[in-house]
Amino acid sequence: MTLKKNLSQYFGYDTFKEGQEKIITAVVKGQDVLGIMPTGGGKSLCYQLPAIQLPGLTLVISPLISLMKDQVDALGEMGIPATFLNSSLDDVSYQKRLEKIRDNQYKLLYIAPERLCAPAFVDLVQQLEVSMVAVDEAHCISQWGHDFRPHYREIPDFISNISPRPVVAAYTATATVKVIQEIKVLLALQDPVESIIGFDRPNLLYQVVKTGDKLGYVKNTISHQFPEQSGIIYCATRKTVESVTEKLKSLGFLAGSYHGGMSPEAREQNQQDFINDRLHIMVATNAFGMGINKPDVRFIIHYNMPQNMEAYYQEAGRGGRDGEPSHCTILYSPADIVKQKQLIQLNQTSPERERLLFENLQYLVDYCHTNDCLRKSILQYFGESADYQRCGNCGNCLDQSEMVDITLDAQKILSCIYRMKNRFGLNMVISVLRGSKNKKVLEMGFDQLSTYGLMQAQSAESLREIIMTLVAKGYIVVTADEYPVLKLTPAASGILKGSETVFHKKHLLNIKAAKTKTPDKAKSLIDCDEALFEELRTLRRSIAQEKGLPPYVIFPDATLKEMAAYFPRSQAEFLKINGVGQTRYDHYGEVFIEAITDFAQNNPIAIRPRLEAEADPLETRIRQKDREERITKTPSWELSYDLFKQGLTVSDIAKQRELTENTVLSHLIRCDQEGKAIDWSDFVDVEKEVEIINAIGTVGLEALRPIKEALPATCSYADIKIVIHKNDLR
Ligand code: ADP
Ligand code: ZN
C-alpha cells in the first residue's frame, strides 16, 4: 500500500506501467532484478520508487552524465533528495557533496562508472548504509552491444566490498538474448526476478520515405507537422550535418549541429540548448543521443540510412520517451547504401564480422523496401513475433494504396542496364531510358540502344523508385565501386524471361502527386485544447528558464496535455492530473491554475470527460465559488489592453503576463471589437501588409496556414491576423 501511496505522493501517478510493479515489489523485498523495458517504458521509476522505500542509500550507476543532472533536478522537483558525482564537478563541490553524502542527506546517489573504484569513494561507501545498487544502461557491460563501457566490468568487485550486500538491480532497453545472458553473469546477479517488456514502442510511427528532395521533405514536414516541436535529424557524415544545419537555419528554423568534429564546448552548448528548447532541431551524427533523456522529441528523421537495424532502433527510439506520438522516418536513397557498404569495407574487420555487418545492413535495406508492416519487421529483427499482420500505425499500414504490376517496366529497365554493360549508375540509366540528349549519353552512343527513350513518358522520380525497388528485391545490385554502379543479378533473368512478376504501390509511381499531399499534424493521444497546451508550454518554458532547468523537468508534455484537457482549477483537481505530485503542486500549482483559469475565462472551453468518478460535491461547491470570485475580476483581455494603452508592445505584454503573443493579440482584437480604440497602423509595416493581402488574393481566406505558406518566413501568423482584422477581410 505504501508503494502506491508514494507513487501518487511523489510522482503523481495512480497506476504502474507494465512491468514496474513486479520489479519494484521484488527490489523492496530484497531480491535482485533485471528489468528489460523499451525506452520510455519507465525504468527510472523502478529504482527511484524503491529508493524512497528502502532504509539506506540507493546508488545509481549510469554512464550518462547529462542524464544524471536531469534526473537529480527532476527528483528535487518531486521532493526526493538526490545528488550525483561525476567528472563535471570541480574539486570543491565534489568534496562538499561527499560531506553531505556522509551525513546521509540523500536517498539517491548517481555515479559514473569511472568513479566507482576511486579509493576515496570506496572508503566512503563502506561507511554508508547502501540498500540498493541500480545499474542503468546495463548493456554497457557487454562487448556485444554498441555502448561497451569497460568500467562497467568493475561493478561486481565494487559491490562485493559493500557489506551487507545491497540489492542489485539492472536495467536496459537493448538486450538481445546474448546480452541478457552476459548482464546476468557479469553483474553476478543472484537469482534475479526478470521482467521483459517487449521491444514494441506503440507510440512511434515508423515510415520510410523515398524522395529526391530530402531537404524539401524535411522543411515541409517540420513546418506542417511539427512546428515549434523538438526533433533530431541524423546524418551519416559531419559534412552533411553542417550543410543541413546551415540550410535549415537559413530557412528560419532553430537548428543546431552535433558531431565528433566540434569542440566539446560547442557540442555541449548545443545539447543544452536542445534540451532546454532553445533549439528545436538537432542535426547530428550518431555521436548524438546516448544519454539524451529529453522525453518530448517528436520526430527523428534519418537523413541518411542508419548503419543497421539495431542502431536504427536505438536512434529512432529517442523519440517519444514520454509515450506521446512521434514520427520516425528514414529518407531512403540507394547512394546511402553504397556509402555504408564502403564504410564497412574501409573498416577492414575480420571476414566474419564483415559478413555480419553486410547482413545487418541488408536487413535494413529490405526494411526500406518492404510493403509489409514496418513495426513487425523491426520486432522480427529482435526475435519477437507480433500477433497481427498490420499494426495500423506505420507508413505501410497507413498506406493502403493499390498495388500495380510493373513487370513490363522492370523488363525495360533491366534490359537497358544489360545493354549498358552493367557499368553505369542510376542517373545515367535513367537518362538513357528517358531519351536524354545529355552529352555523355550521346558520346557513349547510348542513343543507338534499343532501350533509348523507351520510358520517355515516365518521370525520373518514378523510374528511380522502380529501380530502387528492383534493387531491394534483389534483381539489381548497387556495387560499391568508385561510384555506385547498377548491375543485374542472376535473379533478373526470371523477370526478363517473363517467368516472374513484380508489383509496386501505385501512388509511389507518381511521386510528384504524392509529394504535394500534406500529412496531418501528429495527433496527441490525449485530445486536449491545443491553444491552452501552447500557453502552458510557454509558461513552463519561462519557469524553466528562470530556474535554469529543462522544461520537461517542471512537467512532462503528457501532464500539460492533461491540464489542457481537464482544466483543473483547484488543488484537488490539479493533484488528480497524472504526473502532479504534492511537491510539484506546491511549487507550481498556483501559477498553472491561474493560467488555466485565465484561459477558461477568455475562451470557449470544452472540458474532456475523464473516465473516473465525479469530484465530490464539496469540491464542486468550492470550485463554483472559486469561479464566481474570479468572474468578478477584470477580464484578462482588458488587462492586456490596459498595458497596451500604457505603451507596451504585444511582445512586452506577452512576456509580462506570461501569455503567448497570439493570445495578447486576440485580447486586443476583442477590445477593438468591443469599441475600445486601437490604432492598428503601427503593427505591420506597409510592404508586409501588401504582401499579405496579395497572398490572400491568391490562396483565399479559408485557413491561415496556406496564407502563411505563401509568404516569407518573416510574416508571422500574428501579422496575418492583424491584416485580416484591420482590413475587415472576414
Ligand atoms: P526509460 O528510462 O525507460 O526510457 P523513463 O523512466 O524516462 O523511461 O520514463 C518514461 C516516461 O514515462 C517519463 O515521462 C515518466 O515520467 C513516465 N512514467 C514512468 N512511470 C510512469 C507511471 N507509472 N505512470 C505514468 N507515467 C509514467
Ligand atoms: Zn505496421
Side-chain angles (χ1 to χ4, degrees):
M1 193 55 215
T2 52
L3 270 188
K4 277 271 167 83
K5 193 168 149 274
N6 283 339
L7 179 68
S8 155
Q9 159 93 12
Y10 288 99
F11 297 88
Y13 300 129
D14 296 329
T15 49
F16 286 108
K17 284 191 169 192
E18 196 184 348
Q20 285 180 330
E21 194 165 12
K22 181 175 171 193
I23 293 273
I24 295 171
T25 315
V27 170
V28 173
K29 277 196 199 142
Q31 280 172 285
D32 283 4
V33 299
L34 174 57
I36 295 156
M37 296 164 132
T39 309
K43 282 183 285 298
S44 338
L45 192 94
C46 292
Y47 52 80
Q48 292 171 345
L49 184 55
I52 304 174
Q53 308 275 132
L54 293 167
L57 179 70
T58 288
L59 286 176
V60 183
I61 301 171
S62 164
L64 315 170
I65 292 188
S66 62
L67 179 136
M68 286 185 192
K69 181 169 173 344
D70 280 3
Q71 292 219 348
V72 165
D73 286 342
L75 287 165
E77 289 299 315
M78 293 188 270
I80 303 168
T83 191
F84 63 82
L85 290 176
N86 63 33
S87 55
S88 73
L89 297 172
D90 60 42
D91 242 17
V92 179
S93 1
Y94 196 87
Q95 290 306 330
K96 266 201 197 134
R97 283 200 192 182
L98 288 184
E99 272 311 307
K100 285 179 147 184
I101 294 165
R102 197 167 288 130
D103 201 27
N104 293 322
Q105 293 193 20
Y106 301 108
K107 287 306 292 179
L108 286 109
L109 167 61
Y110 285 75
I111 179 137
E114 303 77 59
R115 303 267 135 184
L116 283 180
C117 291
F121 185 68
V122 174
D123 252 18
L124 169 70
V125 167
Q126 281 168 353
Q127 299 163 36
L128 300 171
E129 181 186 357
V130 179
S131 295
M132 168 181 185
V133 173
V135 184
D136 203 8
E137 312 292 341
H139 61 280
C140 289
I141 202 163
S142 162
Q143 237 160 347
W144 285 99
H146 32 78
D147 299 325
F148 177 51
R149 298 284 176 126
H151 286 289
Y152 262 62
R153 295 279 168 101
E154 292 158 12
I155 295 175
D157 270 352
F158 168 75
I159 293 173
S160 67
N161 282 323
I162 309 175
S163 164
R165 180 183 182 276
V167 183
V168 183
Y171 303 97
T172 180
T174 11
T176 49
V177 179
K178 215 178 210 158
V179 179
I180 295 180
Q181 205 44 40
E182 263 201 326
I183 293 175
K184 282 197 250 179
V185 174
L186 294 175
L187 276 181
L189 296 180
Q190 295 180 357
D191 198 12
V193 171
E194 286 177 41
S195 170
I196 302 182
I197 310 298
F199 282 91
D200 192 17
R201 303 278 317 275
N203 60 320
L204 301 187
L205 188 158
Y206 299 106
Q207 58 183 353
V208 177
V209 170
K210 293 162 187 165
T211 168
D213 177 15
K214 291 185 177 183
L215 194 74
Y217 175 86
V218 167
K219 190 182 92 186
N220 272 333
T221 306
I222 302 176
S223 46
H224 292 309
Q225 291 182 272
F226 304 105
E228 314 264 307
Q229 310 259 26
S230 299
I232 304 174
I233 301 176
Y234 278 111
C235 305
T237 64
R238 297 171 182 183
K239 216 168 105 198
T240 318
V241 166
E242 301 209 323
S243 82
V244 172
T245 311
E246 278 322 305
K247 283 178 196 143
L248 290 178
K249 274 179 159 167
S250 72
L251 290 166
F253 294 106
L254 292 175
S257 306
Y258 191 107
H259 61 67
M262 294 163 63
S263 72
E265 296 77 31
R267 268 196 322 239
E268 176 62 20
Q269 182 61 50
N270 282 355
Q271 177 163 329
Q272 285 308 321
D273 285 347
F274 180 65
I275 289 173
N276 290 289
D277 289 350
R278 293 186 291 267
L279 280 181
H280 291 148
I281 305 158
M282 186 63 108
V283 189
T285 60
N286 59 7
F288 178 71
M290 173 74 173
I292 299 309
N293 195 29
K294 191 171 169 52
D296 54 353
V297 176
R298 295 275 75 90
F299 62 91
I300 307 268
I301 295 177
H302 278 77
Y303 204 82
N304 305 109
M305 194 81 158
Q307 276 171 315
N308 54 51
M309 193 42 113
E310 192 143 347
Y312 181 59
Y313 180 80
Q314 278 275 323
E315 287 158 15
R318 295 186 179 124
R321 294 182 74 130
D322 53 7
E324 291 285 304
S326 294
H327 286 194
C328 305
T329 311
I330 294 180
L331 300 183
Y332 178 87
S333 85
D336 290 343
I337 304 172
V338 179
K339 252 186 242 151
Q340 291 287 6
K341 286 188 176 166
Q342 282 169 341
L343 279 179
I344 294 174
Q345 282 167 343
L346 272 177
N347 275 338
Q348 290 196 334
T349 48
S350 66
E352 192 207 347
R353 180 139 180 92
E354 188 170 305
R355 195 181 48 79
L356 191 75
L357 292 174
F358 274 122
E359 245 177 58
N360 287 348
L361 177 63
Q362 190 55 44
Y363 198 95
L364 202 60
V365 175
D366 292 345
Y367 171 85
C368 289
H369 283 285
T370 180
N371 286 315
D372 300 335
C373 175
L374 295 175
R375 185 178 314 281
K376 226 178 142 152
S377 164
I378 293 177
L379 293 179
Q380 269 164 2
Y381 179 84
F382 291 106
E384 218 174 90
S385 59
D387 52 7
Y388 47 76
Q389 269 310 316
R390 302 217 148 238
C391 73
N393 189 32
C394 74
N396 286 349
C397 291
L398 291 168
D399 172 8
Q400 295 296 345
S401 76
E402 197 187 328
M403 302 290 281
V404 286
D405 186 337
I406 55 160
T407 312
L408 190 62
D409 285 342
Q411 286 170 337
K412 290 177 186 171
I413 291 167
L414 296 176
S415 69
C416 189
I417 295 173
Y418 175 74
R419 275 161 230 276
M420 290 167 75
K421 305 210 162 32
N422 291 312
R423 282 178 43 216
F424 294 86
L426 185 70
N427 289 332
M428 194 66 174
V429 171
I430 291 176
S431 297
V432 173
L433 283 163
R434 297 189 71 229
S436 155
K437 299 247 176 339
N438 164 324
K439 200 164 138 240
K440 195 160 172 212
V441 171
L442 301 180
E443 261 173 27
M444 302 295 301
F446 287 151
D447 54 339
Q448 302 304 312
L449 297 180
S450 60
T451 50
Y452 179 75
L454 200 58
M455 301 182 87
Q456 214 155 12
Q458 267 160 277
S459 70
E461 278 102 334
S462 162
L463 288 186
R464 185 172 294 131
E465 171 64 28
I466 300 178
I467 294 175
M468 288 189 320
T469 307
L470 296 176
V471 173
K473 291 185 184 290
Y475 300 117
I476 304 173
V477 282
V478 186
T479 59
D481 297 334
E482 211 173 313
Y483 61 92
V485 165
L486 303 184
K487 288 191 174 139
L488 301 192
T489 66
S493 68
I495 301 278
L496 288 167
K497 282 191 219 135
S499 59
E500 274 181 50
T501 47
V502 203
F503 283 82
H504 198 64
K505 286 202 161 142
K506 188 174 173 186
H507 79 102
L508 284 179
L509 300 176
N510 184 3
I511 311 255
K512 284 231 165 66
K515 249 199 319 205
T516 51
K517 193 176 126 229
T518 308
D520 290 340
K521 204 169 158 183
K523 285 247 179 336
S524 164
L525 293 179
I526 305 172
D527 175 25
C528 73
D529 188 309
E530 292 289 333
L532 175 56
F533 175 60
E534 284 307 321
E535 288 211 0
L536 297 179
R537 277 183 81 198
T538 309
L539 172 58
R540 177 180 65 175
R541 200 176 308 136
S542 67
I543 296 175
Q545 243 157 24
E546 223 169 79
K547 301 192 86 173
L549 294 173
Y552 54 80
V553 165
I554 310 290
F555 283 125
D557 273 10
T559 301
L560 294 192
K561 282 191 177 155
E562 283 212 6
M563 293 182 201
Y566 307 130
F567 297 84
R569 277 164 284 174
S570 67
Q571 173 169 356
E573 283 179 343
F574 205 81
L575 280 167
K576 276 196 198 145
I577 298 292
N578 249 318
V580 181
Q582 189 59 46
T583 309
R584 274 176 168 159
Y585 172 78
D586 294 343
H587 286 174
Y588 310 116
E590 251 175 51
V591 268
F592 275 84
I593 288 179
E594 185 164 337
I596 294 164
T597 311
D598 202 30
F599 182 90
Q601 277 175 26
N602 289 307
N603 297 278
I605 61 162
I607 301 180
R608 274 56 173 183
R610 192 200 274 274
L611 298 173
E612 61 175 27
E614 260 300 307
D616 68 73
L618 175 65
E619 169 53 35
T620 315
R621 276 208 306 282
I622 296 171
R623 196 187 329 152
Q624 183 66 28
K625 186 161 169 291
D626 194 84
R627 192 177 295 150
E628 278 162 12
E629 262 175 29
R630 285 173 188 275
I631 285 170
T632 53
K633 282 207 236 153
T634 315
S636 181
W637 57 91
E638 293 198 8
L639 295 177
S640 294
Y641 180 75
D642 288 346
L643 293 173
F644 177 67
K645 274 281 142 198
Q646 290 165 26
L648 270 70
T649 64
V650 171
S651 113
D652 290 341
I653 302 172
K655 270 192 211 115
Q656 181 165 337
R657 302 206 55 213
E658 295 185 330
L659 298 171
T660 61
E661 295 195 17
N662 255 330
T663 307
V664 174
L665 196 65
S666 65
H667 287 169
L668 296 184
I669 291 178
R670 177 161 185 166
C671 290
D672 189 22
Q673 284 161 345
E674 286 177 4
K676 294 199 167 63
I678 287 181
D679 180 5
W680 293 103
S681 55
D682 289 345
F683 280 81
V684 185
D685 67 40
V686 183
E687 275 169 24
K688 229 189 217 178
E689 185 170 353
V690 172
E691 269 187 80
I692 294 175
I693 291 177
N694 282 340
I696 293 173
T698 318
V699 302
L701 252 181
E702 253 161 87
L704 292 183
R705 185 188 283 175
I707 307 176
K708 173 93 173 73
E709 277 161 17
L711 288 162
T714 45
C715 289
S716 64
Y717 277 110
D719 293 338
I720 300 170
K721 279 193 194 161
I722 292 168
V723 170
I724 293 174
H725 177 73
K726 179 180 161 196
N727 295 287
D728 257 343
L729 296 178
R730 270 212 232 265

